[in-house]
């Protein structure tokens, strides 16, 4: 990364591609330049600006274990020009990246608390580094419960890793899907993610909640959590907004006086509900 | 008394008087070494443009339509270009190497640059803006009149100004009182200008004339925005019916953001040539008033409501800037009022939120 010019992407090389769902891939990357690679580290919940020259740039959460020093990953759903271009690339191909940006999840602040992770769809991507961070430093955190909802069983991300997650001490993984196509086996719940809330066993006053998903899902999750006695200061949301720079210059990502790219993307619900711009 | 005497001697020491010929000669000499931009009389409007002939400068201009921010934060610029194979070339292609002089900026526009400085330096330095900024000499100009839409006095951003410039010119009785605001200003003045007078009593008389001129302008700016406790006012009026009413007025055309001297939002786009492989990454001014401003993938739009976009602009200027940069984002230049097709007026918005009667 050119330190003098924060807009300049550095070259990254694809070292592995995993098909997650029909429209989503997890791409393992490494910086081509040794210096950039050695300097790069990130916190769970941070994002990079990914560049395909000639197509554009887009903010994408980093989805890998922050303890991995050899590579980092992005889980990319094909929804726009940049994500469309990147998901067409193969192992060995290169494109651009700059970052990491943003505050990330408050991993220090939530130490010693129980951790309730609530994710919807692609929203699990920025939470995967949290799961691995907690696994790596298991003694620093309380019990962990992961609630994940997707559209169909085939839309669930990281299915190959669920057994490993469930083996993390004091960890529960609860899954639900909106619908199950005929003939498909599914031994978990069916319905929106909030239907899983009755199964939460964590004490609301000793638990930090980390949520990422579509705004509508976050809205109803927060509503129900507050009813259950979780505190607005303990509920953290990762917000999505349009971003062009990642460095609080382009002005696009503002919610009230907050720059989602630098002040966020993670905010407590307490912060968000007191802003001059209503979120949901 | 001693302190007062000291202040006067500093004032005199930092002042020069130039004749009309002396001023033209000064600008001519500057043009040889710098790109000099100033308000130039066009066919219909006065526009900040490169000075070809010092006599074209409109010393008594009303605030221009587009502010001099365009010389620092360009409406359009190339961030870098790229070649087939992904090689990035020429990072700073579009950044001027030659120093530029921005001449004839009214106090509000000088203050607006100070606000942009904060935006483009906080947390990360924007290399494109900063390179131009460091290469820019600011020669301010005391206003010669006030427009009905001027409300700088509400923000303390004019018509008096005592910093933020390298030189400050005031036209008085056909001559030019020039005040020095920086070492760089002193240097270009002593190098390229022949002063008409450095006599202290003459200079003091010109300072008295300047003061009288400023008082007249200040008195003329009768329309104000009441900025007291404006943060609380805005916090309490997020759901005021005014916002919904304004959406019927506002055309969401974005004119206000283009003419605003402190609006800086931009979009980054890649433009490719016919090979579809080489091209340029560019940035262009964007506008929070436009529908697509807050739209993300899959067509999700966080400000699809026009009322939300109007609110964003007003709150950003009068509320968010203070949280973000400890400064208000409005300098009261009045451009957004003058160039709004529907004459939407922030002074009236604030008055209405305060429950004050609105003059039609």
């Amino acid at each position: 990364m050119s330190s003098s010019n924060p807009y300049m992407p550095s070259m990254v090389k694809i070292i592995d591609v995993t098909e997650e769902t029909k429209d989503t891939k997890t791409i393992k990357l490494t910086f081509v330049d040794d210096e950039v690679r050695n300097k790069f580290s990130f916190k769970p919940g941070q994002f990079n600006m990914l560049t395909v020259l000639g197509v554009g740039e887009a903010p994408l959460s980093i989805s890998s274990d922050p303890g991995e020093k050899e590579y980092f990953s992005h889980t990319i759903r094909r929804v726009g020009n940049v994500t469309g271009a990147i998901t067409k690339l193969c192992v060995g191909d290169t494109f651009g990246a700059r970052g990491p940006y943003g505050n990330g999840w408050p991993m220090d602040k939530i130490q010693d608390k129980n951790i309730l992770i609530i994710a919807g769809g692609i929203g699990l991507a920025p939470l995967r580094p949290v799961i691995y961070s907690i696994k790596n430093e298991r003694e620093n955190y309380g019990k962990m419960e992961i609630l994940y909802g997707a559209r169909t069983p085939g839309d669930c991300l990281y299915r190959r890793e669920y057994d490993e997650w469930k083996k993390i001490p004091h960890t529960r993984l609860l899954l639900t899907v909106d619908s199950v196509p005929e003939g498909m086996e599914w031994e978990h719940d069916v319905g929106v993610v909030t239907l899983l809330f009755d199964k939460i066993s964590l004490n609301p006053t000793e638990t930090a909640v980390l949520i990422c998903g579509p705004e509508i899902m976050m809205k109803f999750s927060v509503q129900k959590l507050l009813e259950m006695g979780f505190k607005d200061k303990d509920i953290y949301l990762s917000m999505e907004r349009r971003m062009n720079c990642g460095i609080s210059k382009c002005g696009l990502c503002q919610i009230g006086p907050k720059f989602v790219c630098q002040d966020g993307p993670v905010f407590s619900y307490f912060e968000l509900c007191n802003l001059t711009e209503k979120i949901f | 008394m001693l302190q007062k005497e000291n202040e006067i001697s500093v004032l005199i020491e930092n002042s020069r008087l130039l004749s009309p010929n002396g001023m033209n000669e000064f600008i001519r000499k500057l043009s040889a070494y710098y790109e000099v931009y100033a308000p130039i009389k066009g066919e219909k409007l006065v526009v900040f443009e490169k000075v070809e002939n010092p006599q074209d400068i409109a010393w008594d201009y009303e605030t221009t339509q587009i502010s001099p921010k365009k010389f620092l934060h360009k409406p359009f610029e190339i961030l870098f270009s790229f070649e087939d194979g992904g090689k990035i070339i020429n990072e700073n292609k579009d950044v001027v190497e030659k120093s530029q002089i921005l001449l004839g900026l009214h106090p509000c526009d000088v203050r607006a640059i100070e606000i942009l400085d904060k935006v483009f330096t906080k947390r990360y330095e924007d290399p494109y803006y900063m390179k131009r900024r460091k290469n820019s000499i600011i020669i301010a100009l005391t206003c010669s009149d006030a427009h009905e839409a001027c409300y700088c006095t509400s923000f303390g951003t004019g018509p008096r100004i005592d910093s933020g410039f390298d030189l400050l010119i005031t036209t008085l009785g056909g001559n030019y009182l020039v005040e020095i605001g920086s070492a760089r200003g002193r240097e270009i003045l002593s190098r390229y200008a022949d002063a008409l007078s450095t006599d202290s009593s003459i200079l003091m008389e010109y300072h008295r004339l300047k003061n009288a001129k400023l008082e007249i302008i200040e008195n003329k700016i009768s329309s104000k925005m009441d900025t007291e406790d404006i943060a609380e006012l805005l916090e309490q009026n997020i759901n005021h019916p005014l916002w919904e009413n304004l959406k019927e007025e506002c055309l969401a055309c974005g004119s206000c953001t283009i003419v605003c001297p402190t609006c800086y939002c931009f979009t980054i786009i890649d433009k490719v040539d016919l090979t579809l492989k080489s091209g340029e990454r560019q940035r262009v001014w964007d506008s929070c008033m436009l529908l697509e401003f807050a739209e993300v993938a899959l067509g999700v739009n966080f400000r699809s409501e026009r009322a939300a976009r109007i609110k964003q602009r007003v709150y950003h200027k009068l509320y968010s800037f203070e949280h973000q940069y400890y400064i208000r984002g409005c300098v009261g230049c009045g451009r957004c009022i003058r160039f709004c097709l529907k004459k939407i007026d922030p002074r009236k918005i604030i008055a209405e939120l305060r429950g004050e009667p609105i003059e039609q």
Side-chain angles (χ1 to χ4, degrees), chain B residues 63-78:
Chain B
T63 306
T64 54
Q65 184 176 43
I66 304 292
S67 91
K69 80 174 174 187
K70 68 180 178 182
F71 299 115
L72 299 168
H73 178 36
K74 297 222 160 190
F76 162 89
E77 80 176 310
I78 298 162

Side-chain angles (χ1 to χ4, degrees), chain B residues 128-187:
Chain B
Y128 307 92
Y129 177 91
M130 284 313 291
K131 189 151 188 196
R132 283 196 201 96
R133 182 68 178 94
K134 284 173 186 158
N135 283 340
S136 298
I137 294 171
I138 309 283
I139 304 184
L141 173 68
T142 303
C143 310
S144 48
D145 201 357
H147 187 272
E148 187 277 323
C150 293
Y151 59 108
C152 54
T153 48
S154 302
F155 291 93
T157 48
R160 283 172 205 274
I161 188 164
D162 56 11
S163 64
F165 53 81
D166 295 291
L167 293 174
L168 168 64
I169 298 174
T170 308
T171 59
L172 293 163
N175 288 325
Y176 299 85
L177 175 67
V178 184
E179 293 167 75
I180 295 161
S182 75
R184 198 162 54 166
R186 180 182 303 276
E187 194 193 321

Side-chain angles (χ1 to χ4, degrees), chain B residues 98-113:
Chain B
K98 197 175 175 185
S99 294
Q100 59 184 6
I101 291 183
L102 309 183
L103 185 149
L105 276 63
H106 285 159
C108 54
D109 285 343
V110 174
R111 292 292 177 226
I113 289 174

Side-chain angles (χ1 to χ4, degrees), chain B residues 317-328:
Chain B
K317 297 289 157 190
L318 301 174
Y319 180 87
S320 299
F321 255 98
E322 251 187 308
H323 285 258
Q324 294 163 342
Y325 305 106
Y326 310 105
I327 193 165
R328 283 194 181 128

Side-chain angles (χ1 to χ4, degrees), chain B residues 195-207:
Chain B
L196 183 66
S197 176
T198 48
D199 179 277
S200 63
S201 60
I202 291 176
L203 286 170
M204 273 317 289
E205 180 53 25
Y206 271 91
H207 273 285

Side-chain angles (χ1 to χ4, degrees), chain A residues 5 7-8 51 54-57 215 240-242 244 249-250 252 254 257 259 262-263 276-277, chain B residues 82 88 119 122-124 126 128 264-268 270 281 283 292-293 295-296 302-303 316 324:
Chain A
N5 189 342
Y7 294 97
M8 298 295 285
T51 274
V55 178
E57 212 168 26
E215 290 230 345
E240 181 194 19
R241 283 296 180 274
R242 186 167 160 232
N244 268 194
K249 298 286 175 274
C250 76
L252 300 178
Q254 293 173 85
F259 290 102
Q262 288 287 321
D263 301 317
T276 44
E277 189 169 9
Chain B
F82 47 87
I88 294 173
V119 171
K122 191 178 171 184
R123 289 180 172 137
Y124 288 84
D126 186 286
Y128 307 92
Y264 60 83
C265 290
F266 59 83
T267 293
I268 298 176
D270 283 8
R281 179 156 292 175
R283 74 171 168 200
E292 303 81 6
F293 185 82
E295 189 175 300
V296 295
F302 297 103
R303 278 189 218 107
H316 191 203
Q324 294 163 342

Side-chain angles (χ1 to χ4, degrees), chain B residues 81-322:
Chain B
S81 29
F82 47 87
E83 285 176 345
D84 190 5
K87 192 183 164 217
I88 294 173
I89 38 171
N90 229 346
E91 322 191 357
N92 282 336
K93 192 179 172 184
D94 214 25
V95 175
V96 283
E97 295 296 336
K98 197 175 175 185
S99 294
Q100 59 184 6
I101 291 183
L102 309 183
L103 185 149
L105 276 63
H106 285 159
C108 54
D109 285 343
V110 174
R111 292 292 177 226
I113 289 174
E114 290 181 333
I115 292 169
L116 291 180
D117 286 349
K118 289 184 189 286
V119 171
F120 285 109
T121 55
K122 191 178 171 184
R123 289 180 172 137
Y124 288 84
E125 240 184 43
D126 186 286
Y128 307 92
Y129 177 91
M130 284 313 291
K131 189 151 188 196
R132 283 196 201 96
R133 182 68 178 94
K134 284 173 186 158
N135 283 340
S136 298
I137 294 171
I138 309 283
I139 304 184
L141 173 68
T142 303
C143 310
S144 48
D145 201 357
H147 187 272
E148 187 277 323
C150 293
Y151 59 108
C152 54
T153 48
S154 302
F155 291 93
T157 48
R160 283 172 205 274
I161 188 164
D162 56 11
S163 64
F165 53 81
D166 295 291
L167 293 174
L168 168 64
I169 298 174
T170 308
T171 59
L172 293 163
N175 288 325
Y176 299 85
L177 175 67
V178 184
E179 293 167 75
I180 295 161
S182 75
R184 198 162 54 166
R186 180 182 303 276
E187 194 193 321
I188 57 165
L189 191 63
S190 58
R191 191 178 290 187
Y192 304 120
D194 290 320
L196 183 66
S197 176
T198 48
D199 179 277
S200 63
S201 60
I202 291 176
L203 286 170
M204 273 317 289
E205 180 53 25
Y206 271 91
H207 273 285
R208 270 189 288 276
L209 287 171
K210 179 193 167 194
N211 243 329
K213 181 175 178 169
L214 282 167
E215 269 171 35
I216 291 168
I217 294 167
E218 276 167 337
N219 289 333
K220 204 176 162 187
I221 302 173
S222 55
S223 179
K224 293 193 179 0
M225 180 188 285
D226 180 0
T227 56
E228 203 188 330
D229 297 330
I230 199 163
E232 289 78 359
L233 178 81
L234 289 167
E235 276 171 5
Q236 287 157 11
N237 285 290
I238 294 163
N239 298 315
H240 195 286
L242 161 112
W243 305 114
E244 286 298 315
N245 298 340
L246 268 175
K247 93 177 174 199
E248 305 299 328
E249 285 292 309
C250 174
L251 304 173
C253 67
S255 296
C256 51
T257 60
I258 289 171
V259 300
C260 177
T262 70
C263 269
Y264 60 83
C265 290
F266 59 83
T267 293
I268 298 176
I269 47 168
D270 283 8
K271 279 275 164 70
V272 286
D273 62 18
L274 286 172
T275 66
L276 300 179
K277 283 177 180 153
S278 45
E280 291 162 347
R281 179 156 292 175
Q282 309 169 343
R283 74 171 168 200
V284 289
W285 289 355
D286 203 341
S287 169
C288 60
M289 300 306 297
L290 303 180
L291 178 61
E292 303 81 6
F293 185 82
E295 189 175 300
V296 295
L298 301 173
V300 176
N301 192 330
F302 297 103
R303 278 189 218 107
S304 57
E305 289 288 316
R306 191 173 296 182
R309 302 203 291 279
I310 299 166
K311 226 194 289 188
Q312 164 62 18
R313 182 170 145 74
V314 174
Y315 275 73
H316 191 203
K317 297 289 157 190
L318 301 174
Y319 180 87
S320 299
F321 255 98
E322 251 187 308

